[in-house]
Amino acid sequence: MLITANTAPIFWVSFPNHNNPKENRVMSQNGFIFCKPFSTTTPSSTNWYGSCTTTRALASLTKTTIHEVTDVDAKICKFYEAGNLKNAMKLLSVSQKSELETNTYCSVLQLCAELKSLEDGKMVHSIICSNGLGVDGVLGSKLVFMYVKCGDLREGRRVFDKVANEKVFLWNLMINEYSKIGDFGESICLFMKMQELGIEVNSHTFSCVLKCFAALGNIEGGQQVHGYLLRLGFGCYNTVVNSLIAFYFKCGRVESAQKLFDELGDRDVISWNSMISGYALNGLAKRGIEFFKEMLCLGVDVDLATIVNVLVACASIGTLLVGRAVHAFAIKSCFDGELMFNNILLDMYSKCGDLDAATRVFEKMGKRSVVSWTSMMAGFVREGLYDGAIRLFSEMERKGVSPDLFTITSVLHACACNGSLESGRDVQTYIKEKKMDSSLFVSNALMDMYAKCGSMEDAYSIFSQMQVKDIISWNTMIGGYSKNCLPNEALNLFVEMQRVIKPNSITMACILPACASLAALERGREIHGYALRNGFFSDHYVSNALVDMYVKCGVLVLARLLFDMTPSKDLISWTVMIAGYGMHGFGSEAIATFNAMRNEGFEPDEVTFISILYACSHSGLLSEGWRFFHIMRNECNFEPKLEHYACMVDLLARVGKLSKAYKFIETMPIKPDATIWGALLCGCRIHHDVKLAEKVSERVFELEPENTGYYVLLANIYAEAEKWEKVKILREKIGRRGLKKNPGCSWIEIRGKVYIFVAGDSSHPQTKKIESLLKRLRMEMREEGYFPKTRYALINADDVEKEVALCGHSEKLAMAFGILSLPYGKTIRVTKNLRVCGDCHEMAKFMSKSASREIVLRDSNRFHHFKDGNCSCRGFW
């Protein structure tokens, strides 16, 4: 021993143990003992004293080491009990070469799992491996448990596969965790592997695996498990039978679930709860409520889950009185302090239409969760109080409550329904700040909001940046383009979509309106064929969209055929057909369809009345129009809205009752908008009443000073009356305001290709042939006594110049091209973006007679079917 002044003694000791030649260091209060590797030299008699000293030191050191290791185990266990992971990890790290007990490692792993500290858990795993401990048995199980609870299922599975463990707990853990992340197939595979290895299952195993089969809707697999558990004798276990009841309900087998319940002798509260929730899930909420009443009569104790399930059932069918009674019962049973109860309660009140009661529940809640705020916002949205929902979201932020994905989608839906583009952009900014924009759920909701607010550029910006797109993403964009009058973009994206993902029935319902908007009949037929091949025609939305597409493409016969083929028509089906007849000028057929609809037991709604009034207007059926207007008010108790009044004004104006239309507007109980005054202005043009047009135009310009269409309409009225000075003044006014008139254009689809014509355009390859045909037809018209209606030229020039201008109108060019390009007998279908002029209307009638061709012309207002020199509009256009 070497002792120096003011220093602690230092002992050099050699262990005579050839099997453990490791260097150890142990700290004591007296100093340090350094243990060096034992020399291989055999001691002689001359150093016997030294050997005795060494032996005594060795014995003393061994006791100290054992005591110290035990002490470390105890300290770590104390840290575990106190939940002090930081100090437990520190002590474990400095003691990593000591022979700690397995339970000590398990305690630290347990603490890592409880605190969800994956990083520390991985460090413990590393220490275990570096110490050469076998990862098996209890230690292996605890490692799997730690990884799973810390969210690293992949690493947990890797350890699980290496552990030769027959403990059912570990298998149940893995099955349950895979089901939590939605990988139900893997859960089922593990269950099957258990059977192969002969691992004994328990009731929890069956409960877990039945949930997986229910989630997959795999009835056959669940029934096989049912048979298997009966053979093993688990058919009398309440937990297993309750899981079976839930399985059958989720798979829609109500009778099987009821049979199991009836056969269950020892029912517990979970059994009753399963019946209540199961019936509500299958649209039989009333039956579920009956079970709750039976529970009370039999004296079965209810729990919080019972109350929650009954309230959900009440919400699903809107039984407010029962909901209030359950609320009172819950207060007596002291459940009103539970957060979950209050959340479901306010949701029930909002879904039953009592938003005031929901608000009272919300305001009285001592503690609110994100679910509370989201449910309240959803209630505001449901009642159409979109501004309130948006304000609630802002208040939620100020209170420091972090929104979840459901909250975000709720407020975005409120912005979408309200058209609150700026509020929607603020929400997007919040989403970016909180890094929630990677969520597919959120991205789809953002796109939907921008599409419904009319900002397709913003919607496409989101869409183009998405790393992953699902069918909802594509459908949202296609539907957005269709609704925002961008049909070409919708069709182009549909083509792109087919290269990436298979369209579904919703895609069909989204893309067909784009075909209808463009009158793209050939594309519509292709999509119709695709829908038939994939069995989509049975979908109500698809069948209605197909009828609408054929109506707007001018093929009314096919539309009616499809309508008659629709197996179960809804109100939308009838409304589409009535509107279709109206657009094509077949008012009598529209009325017959309306009457047939009522005979079938369908009562019209406000939209149906708009369609039938529109049909009467475009066929000049004045008395019938008034009759339907009174039916709507007196029989169906609908107060007319602006759209209904607009139809009546349009009807009166078209039949020449301009003064009566003006008085009708003045006596309206609601303030007329520009559409109503605009309808009367159109009537003034038809019947050439310049004086009234000037009076009406003042009202129109006051309401919509930036709408170019009304200025152009008044200018045309002046031009037809040859009041050129007033035309000049009006055009100068348009120029000063910076307003631009949409140029007139027409298009025709031939062999799948669309040809567009603009007024006065001579760039088409067949321009000379088209001009020659029109010139010949004009000469034939003169010979038969037809003369150009030069007042529609709308220019201050002589008749020759006016006639030349009229010949260049886009619809004439398109019709002439159709005669030249389509085979004899093929219907010529032309679409124009503006209202057809009177001269072109007369020319179309003559073309149909001279060329013996049927011409269908769709303008911005309606359809014109020209055949044998007549038009379906009969002058009411």
Side-chain angles (χ1 to χ4, degrees):
M1 180 176 72
L2 175 64
I3 302 177
T4 58
N6 301 321
T7 60
I10 300 175
F11 296 89
W12 296 96
V13 181
S14 293
F15 289 92
N17 182 357
H18 297 285
N19 296 322
N20 186 19
K22 291 185 178 179
E23 180 175 303
N24 295 294
R25 185 184 67 177
V26 181
M27 182 181 287
S28 69
Q29 290 180 348
N30 296 327
F32 294 96
I33 299 175
F34 290 90
C35 308
K36 286 194 170 183
F38 171 67
S39 172
T40 55
T41 309
T42 305
S44 62
S45 58
T46 55
N47 61 5
W48 177 85
Y49 178 79
S51 297
C52 289
T53 305
T54 302
T55 304
R56 286 197 297 271
L58 173 61
S60 174
L61 178 61
T62 303
K63 287 179 183 178
T64 305
T65 305
I66 292 168
H67 170 75
E68 183 178 335
V69 171
T70 306
D71 189 47
V72 170
D73 282 321
K75 283 183 179 179
I76 290 176
C77 286
K78 282 184 180 179
F79 284 134
Y80 161 68
E81 289 168 5
N84 192 336
L85 179 59
K86 186 177 179 182
N87 285 338
M89 287 300 300
K90 279 183 180 178
L91 196 54
L92 184 68
S93 298
V94 298
S95 308
Q96 57 185 302
K97 290 187 180 180
S98 302
E99 294 180 1
L100 296 175
E101 292 181 6
T102 301
N103 285 343
T104 305
Y105 289 107
C106 289
S107 297
V108 180
L109 287 170
Q110 178 69 31
L111 191 55
C112 291
E114 290 171 4
L115 299 176
K116 301 283 192 284
S117 180
L118 180 61
E119 187 179 347
D120 288 321
K122 285 182 175 179
M123 190 179 294
V124 176
H125 189 182
S126 175
I127 292 169
I128 289 168
C129 293
S130 65
N131 284 350
L133 293 173
V135 180
D136 208 343
V138 176
L139 193 55
S141 298
K142 190 59 73 173
L143 270 170
V144 173
F145 177 78
M146 180 276 295
Y147 277 119
V148 166
K149 290 301 175 183
C150 289
D152 194 346
L153 184 57
R154 181 179 293 180
E155 187 62 24
R157 178 59 184 272
R158 194 181 68 80
V159 177
F160 174 82
D161 289 339
K162 290 180 179 178
V163 175
N165 201 318
E166 295 185 358
K167 288 187 178 179
V168 68
F169 158 76
L170 205 58
W171 287 87
N172 289 346
L173 175 69
M174 296 303 293
I175 290 170
N176 194 44
E177 288 303 316
Y178 274 114
S179 70
K180 281 182 182 177
I181 64 168
D183 195 348
F184 306 110
E186 188 59 30
S187 294
I188 293 168
C189 286
L190 283 171
F191 173 70
M192 293 171 70
K193 193 173 180 182
M194 284 181 76
Q195 293 175 277
E196 290 172 13
L197 297 174
I199 295 169
E200 189 175 335
V201 297
N202 62 14
S203 58
H204 186 64
T205 314
F206 286 118
S207 297
C208 289
V209 82
L210 282 168
K211 286 178 185 177
C212 297
F213 280 112
L216 293 172
N218 188 341
I219 297 170
E220 187 180 344
Q223 286 175 328
Q224 288 175 359
V225 173
H226 188 176
Y228 179 58
L229 66 88
L230 287 175
R231 289 195 301 274
L232 294 180
F234 284 93
C236 57
Y237 282 61
N238 265 29
T239 54
V240 175
V241 177
N242 289 338
S243 297
L244 277 168
I245 290 170
F247 161 75
Y248 280 116
F249 268 127
K250 285 176 183 175
C251 291
R253 297 292 182 91
V254 177
E255 297 82 3
S256 300
Q258 181 69 60
K259 187 172 182 292
L260 281 167
F261 181 81
D262 292 340
E263 293 172 352
L264 185 61
D266 184 23
R267 299 166 185 159
D268 57 15
V269 67
I270 297 172
S271 314
W272 289 91
N273 291 347
S274 298
M275 295 303 291
I276 296 168
S277 62
Y279 274 113
L281 180 69
N282 284 274
L284 299 165
K286 283 185 179 179
R287 185 79 181 98
I289 294 168
E290 291 300 320
F291 264 87
F292 174 64
K293 292 176 182 177
E294 191 179 340
M295 274 183 83
L296 299 180
C297 291
L298 293 173
V300 180
D301 289 333
V302 302
D303 61 7
L304 177 61
T306 315
I307 300 298
V308 166
N309 286 328
V310 176
L311 287 173
V312 169
C314 294
S316 68
I317 55 174
T319 53
L320 184 58
L321 288 175
V322 178
R324 284 174 177 161
V326 174
H327 184 184
F329 177 84
I331 292 172
K332 290 177 182 177
S333 302
C334 300
F335 289 121
D336 55 321
E338 296 286 343
L339 179 61
M340 179 183 285
F341 165 74
N342 285 311
N343 286 340
I344 296 295
L345 184 66
L346 72 87
D347 185 63
M348 181 276 295
Y349 276 124
S350 68
K351 284 179 178 175
C352 289
D354 193 347
L355 193 60
D356 290 337
T359 305
R360 286 195 296 271
V361 172
F362 180 76
E363 288 173 351
K364 288 179 181 177
M365 289 174 70
K367 183 182 178 183
R368 297 171 187 158
S369 67
V370 65
V371 176
S372 318
W373 290 89
T374 305
S375 297
M376 204 63 229
M377 285 168 55
F380 277 111
V381 172
R382 203 176 289 112
E383 293 297 313
L385 303 171
Y386 308 117
D387 288 331
I390 295 166
R391 282 197 301 271
L392 204 61
F393 178 76
S394 301
E395 186 184 342
M396 179 182 176
E397 281 188 85
R398 287 195 301 272
K399 297 274 186 181
V401 181
S402 297
D404 61 11
L405 296 180
F406 296 102
T407 318
I408 294 296
T409 52
S410 292
V411 73
L412 286 173
H413 182 58
C415 296
C417 294
N418 204 32
S420 303
L421 183 59
E422 290 308 312
S423 296
R425 285 189 172 133
D426 291 341
V427 176
Q428 187 187 8
T429 303
Y430 178 87
I431 289 166
K432 286 181 177 177
E433 287 174 359
K434 300 298 179 182
K435 296 180 180 178
M436 300 171 77
D437 49 341
S438 60
S439 166
L440 180 63
F441 199 48
V442 170
S443 295
N444 286 339
L446 269 172
M447 281 192 300
D448 181 65
M449 181 274 294
Y450 279 125
K452 286 176 179 170
C453 289
S455 182
M456 288 309 298
E457 287 183 4
D458 287 317
Y460 184 75
S461 175
I462 304 274
F463 180 78
S464 61
Q465 291 173 33
M466 289 171 68
Q467 298 297 316
V468 178
K469 302 178 183 78
D470 63 2
I471 190 76
I472 296 170
S473 316
W474 290 93
N475 289 345
T476 301
M477 282 303 298
I478 291 169
Y481 279 133
S482 293
K483 287 176 184 175
N484 284 284
C485 303
L486 296 166
N488 286 309
E489 287 81 353
L491 286 166
N492 291 336
L493 194 63
F494 177 65
V495 172
E496 186 182 335
M497 174 190 183
Q498 288 174 285
R499 301 191 197 107
V500 179
I501 192 169
K502 187 179 180 180
N504 62 7
S505 59
I506 297 171
T507 318
M508 301 295 103
C510 290
I511 194 61
L512 283 167
C515 299
S517 177
L518 287 172
L521 181 59
E522 294 305 316
R523 294 298 298 275
R525 278 176 171 157
E526 288 172 10
I527 293 166
H528 184 185
Y530 183 91
L532 288 175
R533 289 191 299 275
N534 289 277
F536 295 147
F537 185 72
S538 57
D539 186 296
H540 275 290
Y541 294 104
V542 176
S543 57
N544 290 338
L546 277 167
V547 173
D548 183 65
M549 183 273 294
Y550 280 116
V551 161
K552 290 175 179 172
C553 287
V555 194
L556 200 57
V557 176
L558 264 179
R560 181 69 205 206
L561 185 65
L562 280 176
F563 173 78
D564 292 336
M565 288 169 60
T566 305
S568 53
K569 301 175 184 68
D570 56 12
L571 183 59
I572 296 170
S573 314
W574 289 97
T575 303
V576 167
M577 203 64 236
I578 293 166
Y581 278 126
M583 286 179 69
H584 288 264
F586 300 113
S588 299
E589 289 81 352
I591 292 170
T593 306
F594 182 90
N595 293 332
M597 176 192 76
R598 297 194 80 181
N599 291 336
E600 289 287 331
F602 290 94
E603 283 303 310
D605 63 4
E606 293 169 323
V607 179
T608 314
F609 276 112
I610 292 171
S611 299
I612 193 65
L613 291 173
Y614 174 91
C616 293
S617 169
H618 281 71
S619 294
L621 303 174
L622 183 59
S623 60
E624 289 85 348
W626 278 117
R627 183 168 66 87
F628 285 117
F629 189 75
H630 292 312
I631 287 172
M632 177 182 69
R633 299 186 72 171
N634 303 324
E635 289 185 26
C636 298
N637 298 316
F638 288 127
E639 277 303 311
K641 294 185 177 178
L642 286 170
E643 294 87 349
H644 303 106
Y645 283 113
C647 287
M648 291 308 298
V649 171
D650 188 57
L651 173 55
L652 289 165
R654 284 178 190 275
V655 298
K657 307 285 184 181
L658 299 179
S659 298
K660 195 170 183 179
Y662 189 85
K663 288 176 184 176
F664 180 76
I665 294 172
E666 288 191 317
T667 57
M668 281 171 53
I670 54 178
K671 187 179 178 181
D673 64 358
T675 305
I676 288 173
W677 288 111
L680 182 53
L681 191 61
C682 285
C684 293
R685 180 183 181 181
I686 294 168
H687 299 286
H688 315 297
D689 191 333
V690 178
K691 188 176 180 181
L692 183 58
E694 289 177 330
K695 190 177 179 181
V696 171
S697 64
E698 290 176 7
R699 302 289 189 94
V700 175
F701 297 152
E702 185 182 331
L703 291 166
E704 289 191 10
E706 303 301 316
N707 192 325
T708 314
Y710 293 127
Y711 291 97
V712 173
L713 181 58
L714 182 60
N716 290 345
I717 292 170
Y718 284 142
E720 288 172 17
E722 296 190 344
K723 295 182 178 293
W724 301 113
E725 192 59 36
K726 290 192 174 183
V727 172
K728 182 183 177 184
I729 292 168
L730 200 57
R731 285 179 176 170
E732 286 174 355
K733 189 176 181 180
I734 292 171
R736 283 196 304 273
R737 285 182 173 270
L739 305 175
K740 291 184 179 180
K741 174 183 178 292
N742 288 330
C745 71
S746 301
W747 59 94
I748 183 170
E749 187 181 17
I750 296 174
R751 300 179 191 90
K753 186 177 179 182
V754 177
Y755 296 86
I756 301 172
F757 295 87
V758 180
D761 185 20
S762 59
S763 62
H764 195 275
Q766 296 193 45
T767 296
K768 288 185 178 180
K769 288 184 179 181
I770 293 168
E771 289 176 351
S772 176
L773 175 61
L774 289 173
K775 188 176 180 181
R776 179 171 62 79
L777 288 169
R778 183 70 75 185
M779 287 176 64
E780 290 177 10
M781 286 179 73
R782 284 179 181 278
E783 290 171 5
E784 294 193 21
Y786 291 91
F787 291 95
K789 296 191 175 184
T790 53
R791 70 171 183 269
Y792 293 110
L794 307 179
I795 59 171
N796 187 11
D798 58 29
D799 285 351
V800 175
E801 287 181 88
K802 287 182 177 180
E803 188 174 338
V804 171
L806 287 170
C807 280
H809 279 194
S810 63
E811 56 265 56
K812 286 192 183 81
L813 300 174
M815 288 188 291
F817 180 66
I819 291 173
L820 291 170
S821 304
L822 290 169
Y824 183 78
K826 186 88 171 175
T827 303
I828 296 164
R829 303 180 190 279
V830 174
T831 307
K832 186 178 181 181
N833 66 330
L834 303 176
R835 184 175 179 270
V836 63
C837 84
D839 185 70
C840 292
H841 191 267
E842 290 301 309
M843 174 68 92
K845 287 201 289 188
F846 185 80
M847 280 180 168
S848 69
K849 179 183 175 183
S850 175
S852 300
R853 305 290 286 271
E854 185 176 352
I855 300 171
V856 178
L857 174 61
R858 171 182 152 186
D859 68 8
S860 59
N861 287 341
R862 57 168 298 150
F863 275 91
H864 300 267
H865 290 254
F866 301 100
K867 189 175 181 182
D868 300 326
N870 297 306
C871 180
S872 61
C873 72
R874 299 185 301 281
F876 295 102
W877 59 281

